[in-house]
Every structure is written in structure tokens, then in C-alpha cells.
Amino acid sequence: MPTRSAKTKTSSRIAPASYIEPMKALGVTEVSGDDWLLEIKYDGFRALGVINDGEVELWSRNHKSLNDRFPEIIEGLQKLKCANAIVDGEVAALDEEGRPTFQLLQNRDSAEGAEAPLLYYVFDLLHLDGTSLVGEPIEKRKAALNKFLKRAPDCIRISPTFEEEPHVLLDEVRRQGLEGIIGKRRGSIYEPGRRSGTWVKKRIALDQEFVIGGYTPPQGGRTHFGALLVGYYDKDKLLYAGKVGTGFNAKRLAELHAIFAKFRSPTNPFDNLPMPRKPRFGTGATAAALRDVIWLKPELVCQVKFSEWTREGILRQPVFLGLREDKRARDVVREISER
């Protein structure tokens, strides 16, 4: 439910703020030239903050409420002085070195995750006091954002914009072990729901989202399930990318297994399974290996880190990091990374 703070009701003549589907960045192999405003790519949850008459909603990019998940961010947004507003940004949990870490964000119910500072890095302002800004150039939106968040509470941060050459910022991102950079074309408008190429992303880290299409039964002392079968979309086809069998503790195995029960399916969702033969590296899925697999409707998304892609398009040494409740399965594609 929306959260209300003690603020004066806005005049009915002011246009209300409402959810806007977030703009998307296009994955690229290189960002070059001086036509870009550069930002850090945060390893967190994309979130759209909508404020109306003291009521706050924090939406994921697939329009799911994040209010219950991040109450401290809601409290911070309530303190912003405005009639209404829409901000776009990323919720991130920081490790001991101040780096955004998705795994800490996922494990906030653990002792380690509970102690991690939680911040909302805001990088765009789409609406303020009854006026839409989506058609304004990015420079004007950022100037308005800087003014709007000048006295924001500490948990609400402006995502900094860097003027360096892209390769200089990339070198610093590598040095600090961050995920990558985002480039936004100068003069560009905000295009809700689009991946037009005026926003681009360059990944350094080898991790990305995958769709969960099934799981294997547990073996030995393992409980609930053995490994997840994951993949990504290539146009309308879900392509198998490998099995993920590490990154789970006993509690996570039980929690995921309970969630999977709602998505069980008699049908294999992967267009390229079974594989004709087991690949040289990575985990294959021949017809014999699939006999005991429990299939799932391809609706759940997870984050996985890995060492590399094999020539056969299979993940090597994949590790489960957590579920991605903020992304639609159909939006999951194979990302372009540095290695």
C-alpha cells in the first residue's frame, strides 16, 4: 500500500505523478567519443520513485511494488519537498569498501546483509510539481534533479555524472571492481520502455540476469533441488545457458523450492534442448540428462556470476546470486561484457 506522510494536499489542478515504464540501456562492446554523459552502472535494483501528496510508491522496472522491501528508502523519499515527483534510479547495498553488491541486497535478512548501508542512487527526474520532464533534454533533467535533491536525506543520493573520456572512467571502474558504466547521449530525451541506443551500457563484470526454466532433483545430502537450468531470450526463443548448482545455503534452497512450486510446468521451455551431445566445458543437457528435470514456466529471473562463456554458449563456473524481482523474463538477453 502507498505510504502517507504528513504533508499538505496538492491542488487538484496539478497533474498527478504516475508510474512510467523505465527507459532501458543497450549493451555495447565499446563506449567512445565525447557525446556521452557517463555514470557508474550500479549492481542493484532499478527503482522508480513516485510521490503524490505525501504518498510514496517505489516501483520495480516491471511495475511491482518495492515499498515493503525497502522501507528506509520510502521514508527518505517522504522527506523530499514537492507536490509530486517521479525519480528514476537504483537501490544498492554497499559492502565494507563502499561498492554496490547485489548479493548483499538479496541477503538483507542475514546478519551480513542487515548491516550493509542501503542507498537509492537517483539519476533522472521525470516529473516535478505537476510538470512532465520526459521530453526535456537530459542536461535539463539533471540540472532539475540536482536542485530537487540538494537537501535530500542521506539515503537518497544523486548518481554522479562524469566528464572524463569513457576509457578513463572504465579504467577506474576496473580498478575499483565495479560492474561497468552507463553512457547517455547528450541532448537526449527520456524514452519510456525503449532501448533506443541513446542510453548504452558497458559491462566489466561477468554476471547478468538469466531466466529459470527448470531444476534437477537433489542428490546426496542436498535438499529441495540440485541445480537450476537457466537461459536467455534471443528474439522469441529461450536458449539454454547452463546449470547453476552453487551459491545456495539451506535456507535459500527451501525458499526457492517453495517459490518454484507455483511455476511448475509439464513443458520444457528451452528451444535448444535437448542438446545433441555434452559440451567439452560447462554443463550440458542431453536427452538422457533431462529425464528427471522438473520444468518451470519461464517467468522467474535470477542473477548469476560466472567465469566465461564457452564456445557452445554455456556458462562456466556459474554461481547463483539471487532472484531478480525487478525484471521481466522476456527482457533477459545475453549481455555483452568485456571478456
Side-chain angles (χ1 to χ4, degrees):
M1 293 293 292
T3 306
R4 185 182 296 275
S5 67
K7 292 188 179 179
T8 304
K9 276 288 182 180
T10 304
S11 167
S12 60
R13 292 175 295 175
I14 295 180
S18 58
Y19 172 82
I20 295 174
E21 186 176 356
M23 186 173 173
K24 304 168 185 176
L26 179 69
V28 296
T29 57
E30 182 182 13
V31 182
S32 60
D34 59 3
D35 198 27
W36 304 99
L37 297 178
L38 301 176
E39 300 171 10
I40 298 297
K41 188 178 188 307
Y42 298 101
D43 194 8
F45 260 36
R46 181 80 174 273
L48 198 79
V50 180
I51 306 168
N52 277 300
D53 297 330
E55 293 186 351
V56 175
E57 276 284 5
L58 192 65
W59 297 106
S60 71
R61 54 186 159 184
N62 56 347
H63 205 185
K64 293 183 179 179
S65 178
L66 299 173
N67 283 36
D68 292 340
R69 184 156 193 166
F70 305 123
E72 52 268 78
I73 303 302
I74 299 300
E75 184 177 350
L77 290 171
Q78 286 178 321
K79 295 177 181 178
L80 298 179
K81 294 182 178 181
C82 63
N84 55 26
I86 305 174
V87 291
D88 191 3
E90 193 96 359
V91 177
L94 307 187
D95 65 15
E96 294 179 351
E97 297 182 10
R99 294 175 300 194
T101 305
F102 181 76
Q103 201 159 19
L104 282 178
L105 192 64
Q106 277 287 300
N107 297 329
R108 297 195 70 231
D109 56 346
S110 68
E112 181 186 21
E115 296 178 358
L118 189 71
L119 301 177
Y120 183 29
Y121 288 100
V122 180
F123 47 69
D124 221 321
L125 179 62
L126 312 183
H127 182 109
L128 183 63
D129 293 337
T131 300
S132 173
L133 301 175
V134 296
E136 299 292 345
I138 189 170
E139 293 88 347
K140 184 174 181 178
R141 301 198 309 272
K142 284 187 173 292
L145 177 67
N146 288 336
K147 184 177 180 180
F148 178 45
L149 297 185
K150 190 173 183 178
R151 293 180 176 83
D154 191 57
C155 66
I156 311 294
R157 305 281 182 91
I158 296 174
S159 176
T161 300
F162 298 90
E163 298 290 341
E164 287 91 346
E165 290 287 328
H167 74 274
V168 174
L169 184 58
L170 275 169
D171 286 345
E172 183 61 20
V173 164
R174 289 189 196 96
R175 188 185 71 79
Q176 295 192 30
L178 300 174
E179 189 179 18
I181 66 171
I182 299 286
K184 298 177 180 178
R185 193 174 299 280
R186 297 177 188 274
S188 61
I189 64 171
Y190 193 93
E191 302 175 79
R194 294 197 63 200
R195 199 189 305 270
S196 66
T198 57
W199 286 16
V200 296
K201 57 185 176 182
K202 164 65 176 171
R203 283 181 178 269
I204 300 297
L206 279 175
D207 69 86
Q208 71 156 82
E209 300 96 350
F210 289 96
V211 179
I212 302 173
Y215 61 90
T216 61
Q219 295 182 352
R222 190 74 168 259
T223 60
H224 301 296
F225 65 86
L228 305 180
L229 278 71
V230 302
Y232 60 91
Y233 277 98
D234 183 359
K235 298 180 180 178
D236 292 329
K237 295 182 177 181
L238 181 65
L239 301 183
Y240 172 73
K243 294 177 183 176
V244 184
T246 59
F248 312 101
N249 56 27
K251 181 180 179 182
R252 184 55 55 84
L253 287 168
E255 290 173 344
L256 290 171
H257 191 256
I259 294 171
F260 294 161
K262 305 173 185 177
F263 294 88
R264 290 186 63 161
S265 169
T267 307
N268 169 12
F270 296 101
D271 284 81
N272 59 340
L273 289 186
M275 300 177 74
R277 60 184 178 277
K278 188 178 184 301
R280 182 179 178 185
F281 299 107
T283 52
T286 61
L290 298 179
R291 288 172 186 163
D292 297 324
V293 168
I294 295 90
W295 301 113
L296 301 176
K297 297 174 184 177
E299 298 177 23
L300 295 171
V301 178
C302 64
Q303 190 85 6
V304 175
K305 68 177 180 180
F306 52 97
S307 63
E308 67 175 343
W309 287 95
T310 70
R311 290 182 180 179
E312 296 93 343
I314 301 298
L315 303 174
R316 288 195 71 182
Q317 300 175 330
V319 178
F320 178 86
L321 297 181
L323 287 180
R324 297 291 320 218
E325 302 164 33
D326 62 329
K327 189 161 187 178
R328 286 187 290 256
R330 284 281 177 174
D331 291 336
V332 175
V333 297
R334 180 169 170 174
E335 298 281 1
I336 300 172
S337 57
E338 190 166 87
R339 288 176 286 170

